[in-house]
Amino acid sequence: MTTEEIVEHSKPKLGMFEFVALTAFMTSIVALSIDAMLPALNQIGSDLGSESPQYTHMIISIFFLGMAFGQLYYGPYSDTKGRRAAILSGLIVFALGTIICLFSQSMEMLLLGRVIQAFGVSGPRIASIALIRDQFEGEAMARVMSFIMMVFILVPMIAPAFGKTILFFASWREIFISFLVIGFALAVWFFTRQPETLPKSKRKPFTFASLWVSSKFILTQKAVMMYTLSMGCIFGSFLAYLSASQTIFEDFYSQGDMFPLIFAVLAFSIGIASFINGTLVMTMGMHKLCSLAISGTIVMSTIFVLVTLHYQGLPPLLLTVAILFINFFFIGVLFGNLNSLAMMPLGHIAGLGAAITGSLSSAFAVPVAMIIGSFVKTDILPISIGFLVFGLITMVCFRIAGTGDKEPKVCSNTRKITK
């Protein structure tokens, strides 16, 4: 292949604006499927006879369990069958899970549908990221990902308001109908506009032998596993908040009408963190930023615990939002950087590496969130303690993983790993 052909292949077939919008919305199905459900949890629990609010919270947390398995499947699948096949099959499975949720008559059936939904949505998520990687690398990929993140962050900000609006006119079942409509619209947009980016000549035939060798390599890398465990701890405590957020703000604080706005403000903190991190990471480095962010989240979590104890489990609303806003800023810095640090030694098996690290961190985060969530009954003290305890565990795992001068460095031109 000539240099000109390589350059031409690296360009997207769509205009930059449409390409960014399409891939951003494709990956945002995950956030929409989670956050749009938050205002409906009480109504669903009441209609389906949920045993407790903690059981209802599983509608959120169990979604990530389905994604843990889905990512493991669709990572190798997209490398073997191509990106379009992974996205198509994923959207079909997502639609199947959504239909099960739509017609559920019990909480158990709804939770089964959520797991299937999550398994399917892993296809568009994993394949969309791989699709970007097929066409861009180095600084160009970072630039595209920055544009995508600007669109992506809007979804968790507006999704609760979207769900709340549907509930104003209809019931929680219509939220699942909206998922079907949006999924179908994205499928039509994608398959009429975006061609395959992984030619057959570059696809990797699937064998259990090669999967075993690559998986064994990933699982035996101390730094990769410790950074992955760090992600699981931070995400687990955050997922506990996410699952209980509707109960916290609508039931504990009686802010039902304001819940979407409060949720959007707190989500905006993570968006600010992503933007600032993008401007600082090239000069300060991921390791230093993570060290500062971990220290920041431990300090804020300690303050959160002390304040919550002082107010007997329920501080004033504005004080709670202020503390969470600052804490989520530090957590937002950690999300992207910990994932990048875990992926640094895995450039030659990036697809499988992303699938395994994503699955393991999600598989660890879900039980963490369930444990913390089981104690959220009358106040938010368990949430504050969860942030502190798992923040401390994150710090230990991060230090075991290694220091900045031990990080493997990836050569952007050759994609080979050097020391």
Side-chain angles (χ1 to χ4, degrees):
M1 184 178 287
T2 66
T3 303
E4 290 77 14
E5 288 174 323
I6 294 175
V7 172
E8 181 62 27
H9 179 68
S10 68
K11 295 180 180 178
K13 303 299 181 182
L14 304 179
M16 179 61 72
F17 178 83
E18 184 179 2
F19 179 75
V20 167
L22 175 59
T23 50
F25 285 122
M26 194 69 69
T27 55
S28 297
I29 302 178
V30 175
L32 180 66
S33 301
I34 297 165
D35 298 335
M37 298 304 304
L38 293 173
L41 293 183
N42 279 349
Q43 188 179 117
I44 294 174
S46 176
D47 288 355
L48 299 184
S50 176
E51 300 172 359
S52 66
Q54 290 73 33
Y55 192 43
T56 306
H57 294 168
M58 289 181 65
I59 294 172
I60 303 301
S61 57
I62 206 169
F63 193 88
F64 292 93
L65 184 62
M67 284 192 63
F69 291 103
Q71 290 177 97
L72 280 178
Y73 175 78
Y74 280 107
Y77 184 87
S78 68
D79 288 339
T80 302
K81 300 296 184 179
R83 315 311 182 199
R84 285 166 65 89
I87 290 175
L88 175 60
S89 60
L91 288 174
I92 291 174
V93 174
F94 172 75
L96 174 62
T98 302
I99 292 171
I100 292 174
C101 292
L102 174 61
F103 293 104
S104 293
Q105 297 300 319
S106 68
M107 184 62 70
E108 291 74 19
M109 185 61 68
L110 181 74
L111 293 177
L112 173 63
R114 290 290 280 174
V115 172
I116 297 173
Q117 257 194 323
F119 188 97
V121 85
S122 300
R125 182 180 183 276
I126 289 291
S128 293
I129 295 174
L131 184 147
I132 298 165
R133 188 170 62 247
D134 289 341
Q135 300 180 98
F136 300 94
E137 61 179 323
E139 294 178 353
M141 181 175 178
R143 178 170 173 263
V144 173
M145 289 302 296
S146 296
F147 289 150
I148 290 174
M149 280 303 298
M150 290 173 64
V151 179
F152 179 84
I153 197 62
L154 293 175
V155 174
M157 290 179 64
I158 66 174
F162 173 76
K164 191 81 171 179
T165 302
I166 291 177
L167 291 177
F168 183 79
F169 294 101
S171 73
W172 58 269
R173 296 185 188 275
E174 277 67 30
I175 296 178
F176 289 109
I177 293 177
S178 74
F179 291 165
L180 288 174
V181 173
I182 291 170
F184 179 77
L186 284 174
V188 172
W189 185 7
F190 180 84
F191 285 99
T192 56
R193 297 291 294 160
Q194 176 63 51
E196 177 62 64
T197 59
L198 185 67
K200 292 183 178 180
S201 60
K202 293 188 176 182
R203 296 179 190 179
K204 302 174 183 178
F206 177 84
T207 64
F208 284 104
S210 62
L211 179 64
W212 167 251
V213 171
S214 298
S215 299
K216 183 179 179 181
F217 173 82
I218 295 169
L219 295 171
T220 54
Q221 298 300 301
K222 182 184 75 172
V224 174
M225 289 298 98
M226 287 298 101
Y227 287 133
T228 300
L229 187 57
S230 297
M231 285 191 291
C233 288
I234 285 294
F235 185 51
S237 58
F238 180 79
L239 180 56
Y241 151 79
L242 185 65
S243 300
S245 60
Q246 184 261 356
T247 296
I248 292 172
F249 294 116
E250 291 197 6
D251 295 348
F252 297 170
Y253 284 105
S254 302
Q255 297 293 319
D257 293 337
M258 293 295 292
F259 170 61
L261 177 61
I262 295 171
F263 191 89
V265 168
L266 293 175
F268 184 60
S269 175
I270 298 176
I272 295 174
S274 299
F275 176 79
I276 294 178
N277 181 73
T279 63
L280 295 179
V281 69
M282 297 302 293
T283 55
M284 296 181 63
M286 293 181 290
H287 198 276
K288 186 174 182 179
L289 282 172
C290 280
S291 296
L292 293 173
I294 291 173
S295 298
T297 192
I298 290 174
V299 169
M300 291 308 303
S301 297
T302 302
I303 294 173
F304 196 17
V305 170
L306 295 176
V307 168
T308 304
L309 286 171
H310 176 74
Y311 284 100
Q312 299 181 325
L314 207 62
L317 176 63
L318 289 179
L319 183 57
T320 297
V321 171
I323 293 174
L324 287 175
F325 188 91
I326 299 171
N327 201 15
F328 288 177
F329 175 86
F330 293 121
I331 291 174
V333 172
L334 289 173
F335 278 158
N337 287 330
L338 285 175
N339 184 68
S340 297
L341 285 169
M343 288 297 296
M344 285 187 72
L346 308 178
H348 58 301
I349 46 174
L352 182 61
I356 289 180
T357 55
S359 296
L360 288 179
S361 61
S362 296
F364 183 78
V366 170
V368 167
M370 288 182 175
I371 292 171
I372 297 173
S374 66
F375 293 97
V376 181
K377 297 178 179 179
T378 58
D379 57 51
I380 61 173
L381 182 60
I383 298 294
S384 62
I385 293 176
F387 278 125
L388 178 57
V389 170
F390 288 98
L392 291 170
I393 297 175
T394 297
M395 180 179 66
V396 173
C397 295
F398 184 76
R399 291 186 176 179
I400 293 174
T403 57
D405 58 357
K406 294 181 182 178
E407 293 173 12
K409 297 181 180 180
V410 181
C411 176
S412 61
N413 292 329
T414 63
R415 298 185 184 179
K416 292 181 179 179
I417 299 175
T418 60
K419 291 287 184 181

